[in-house]
Amino acid sequence: AQSVSQHNHHVILSEAASLELGCNYSYGGTVNLFWYVQYPGQHLQLLLKYFSGDPLVKGIKGFEAEFIKSKFSFNLRKPSVQWSDTAEYFCAAKNSWGKLQFGAGTQVVVTP
Amino acid sequence: NAGVTQTPKFQVLKTGQSMTLQCAQDMNHNSMYWYRQDPGMGLRLIYYSASEGTTDKGEVPNGYNVSRLNKREFSLRLESAAPSQTSVYFCASSTKEGAGNQPQHFGDGTRLSIL
């Protein structure tokens, strides 16, 4: 069955620390990958997306993600986090024909 | 630029009551979706509408009905609310279902509590 797995449910780190959130998917064939962010009390916003081409994707707010096909992974990274990056982060995937499927989410708390 | 608008933002119901959640988008999107968000489970698709006039079940449709009133509006109805339906409900839209590279745009959510 198709699924999206996020490795960490909660991450706590200090400002200026580096962030990496893991995401693995189990889809065959062509897959489209997304990272969404949900700030406290707000709706989901698209951070970045991968469809094809350069496997290193840059998104908004200094985030990037790397698609590694051999590992079925699409990990999200940010070199230096800020307090304002406190949010819940969702990885999502879909085939060209399927429905968007979300991971369980990772709650990130950045402490001053 | 409103995007996806959901009403109400908060609602408390008693078990057995009925309720309709409203959603409208002004981006001329063809496809619309209803999700529920529960702690530790991410977002799960309840129903979707690939285009005006069509609706289909998602992952967790039981206890819900939907209506695609027109291209802009997609409502979600709970006929007889149950405590298990306590959740945050998100409406989303996208240009075209089936087009894998089209991201979905989300509303602000409706926080629903069933007592």
Side-chain angles (χ1 to χ4, degrees), chain B residues 39-96:
Chain B
M41 302 185 77
L43 278 76
R44 293 180 292 168
L45 183 65
I46 304 171
Y47 270 93
Y48 69 100
S49 171
S51 61
E52 186 179 357
T54 69
T55 60
D56 286 286
K57 294 179 179 179
E59 183 184 353
V60 288
N62 291 345
Y64 305 94
N65 285 301
V66 290
S67 295
R68 184 73 183 268
L69 304 171
N70 47 55
K71 191 172 185 178
R72 290 187 64 248
E73 298 173 287
F74 187 40
S75 62
L76 177 72
R77 183 161 178 84
L78 287 70
E79 290 291 351
S80 179
S84 60
Q85 294 177 304
T86 293
S87 187
V88 181
Y89 292 85
F90 285 98
C91 178
S93 69
S94 68
T95 305
K96 181 180 178 182

Side-chain angles (χ1 to χ4, degrees), chain A residues 32-53:
Chain A
N32 302 297
L33 297 158
F34 307 82
W35 274 98
Y36 283 86
V37 61
Q38 185 179 28
Y39 297 105
Q42 296 187 27
H43 62 269
L44 275 75
Q45 303 172 43
L46 183 67
L47 266 181
L48 47 79
K49 58 190 178 185
Y50 172 78
F51 302 141
S52 63

